[in-house]
C-alpha cells in the first residue's frame, strides 16, 4: 500500500506538458523566437530591448539599478550594456561617486531605435499570448504578476542584509 504513491521511474506520473517549469521555459523560447522574427531588422535581443526600455524610463542609471530593473545579474547586464554601447545606443561613463560603477544613458541613436522597435516588439509580446482570448490574456498576465511578486517578496525576506 505504501508503494502506491511512489512516482514511476519513467516520469510518466507527471508528464512534461503538465509541469509549470517546462511550460514557462517553452513559452519563453516561443516568445524569443517571435521577438526575433518581428524585430530581426533591428538586431536586438529581448534583453537588450528591456535594458533600453528601463533606461528610457530612468533617464540615467547605474548598471546595478538597471540589473535590478530587469531582474538580471549584474554580470549579464554589464555584458549586454557593453554591446549596446559598442553599437552607439547608450553611453556608459564612470560613476560620479564610485569609480567602479558605470552610469548609463540612451544616446539619440538608442532613443531612435527604441521608438522604431516599439511597434514590432509590442507585436511580438501580443503574439506570445495571441492564442488566448483578450480576457484570458489579462488574466494570464495578472497571474504571472502575482507569482512574480510573491516569489520576489519571498526571496527578499530570505536574503541576508548586505
Amino acid at each position: 500500500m505504501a508503494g502506491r504513491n511512489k512516482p514511476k521511474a519513467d516520469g510518466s506520473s507527471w508528464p512534461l506538458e503538465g509541469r509549470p517549469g517546462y511550460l514557462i521555459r517553452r513559452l519563453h523560447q516561443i516568445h524569443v523566437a517571435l521577438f526575433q522574427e518581428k524585430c530581426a531588422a533591428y538586431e536586438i535581443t529581448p534583453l537588450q530591448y528591456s535594458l533600453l526600455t528601463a533606461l528610457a524610463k530612468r533617464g540615467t542609471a547605474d548598471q546595478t539599478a538597471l540589473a535590478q530593473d530587469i531582474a538580471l545579474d549584474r554580470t549579464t547586464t554589464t555584458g549586454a550594456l557593453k554591446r549596446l554601447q559598442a553599437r552607439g545606443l547608450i553611453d556608459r561613463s564612470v560613476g560620479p561617486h564610485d569609480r567602479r560603477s558605470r552610469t548609463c544613458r540612451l544616446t539619440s541613436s538608442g532613443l531612435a531605435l527604441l521608438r522604431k522597435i516599439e511597434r514590432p516588439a509590442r507585436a511580438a509580446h501580443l503574439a506570445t499570448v495571441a492564442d488566448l482570448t483578450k480576457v484570458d490574456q489579462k488574466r494570464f498576465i495578472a497571474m504571472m504578476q502575482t507569482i512574480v511578486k510573491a516569489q520576489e517578496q519571498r526571496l527578499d525576506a530570505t536574503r541576508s542584509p548586505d
Side-chain angles (χ1 to χ4, degrees):
M1 187 79 112
R4 277 175 57 194
N5 294 331
K6 189 175 181 181
K8 294 180 184 177
D10 65 1
S12 63
S13 63
W14 195 12
L16 283 174
E17 300 79 17
R19 298 176 190 177
Y22 169 79
L23 293 169
I24 291 165
R25 183 179 59 78
R26 284 294 298 130
L27 189 56
H28 179 258
Q29 290 171 327
I30 289 164
H31 171 70
V32 169
L34 289 167
F35 187 93
Q36 289 173 338
E37 173 190 317
K38 306 270 187 210
C39 301
Y42 304 100
E43 297 179 1
I44 193 164
T45 67
L47 168 63
Q48 292 170 337
Y49 174 64
S50 293
L51 281 167
L52 292 176
T53 302
L55 198 48
K57 181 179 178 182
R58 284 186 173 267
T60 60
D62 65 60
Q63 294 175 166
T64 302
L66 290 170
Q68 290 171 345
D69 286 350
I70 65 167
L72 208 62
D73 65 277
R74 286 186 302 208
T75 302
T76 304
T77 301
T78 299
L81 289 169
K82 285 179 180 179
R83 287 186 288 284
L84 291 170
Q85 180 184 24
R87 290 184 58 189
L89 301 174
I90 67 165
D91 282 329
R92 292 171 62 238
S93 57
V94 174
H97 305 294
D98 183 352
R99 299 206 44 82
R100 295 171 297 171
S101 73
R102 297 289 178 265
T103 301
C104 304
R105 70 172 185 80
L106 284 177
T107 62
S108 57
S109 296
L111 187 56
L113 175 67
L114 196 52
R115 287 183 179 138
K116 288 179 198 172
I117 199 172
E118 182 64 31
R119 183 171 282 137
R122 185 179 298 262
H125 284 276
L126 293 174
T128 302
V129 294
D131 295 312
L132 301 174
T133 65
K134 297 289 182 202
V135 170
D136 283 346
Q137 288 176 20
K138 288 180 182 180
R139 187 177 300 133
F140 180 63
I141 290 167
M143 287 188 289
M144 288 189 295
Q145 289 169 331
T146 298
I147 293 168
V148 168
K149 183 177 180 182
Q151 292 297 330
E152 285 175 344
Q153 289 173 344
R154 206 169 279 118
L155 285 172
D156 287 344
T158 60
R159 287 190 184 120
S160 61
D162 289 47

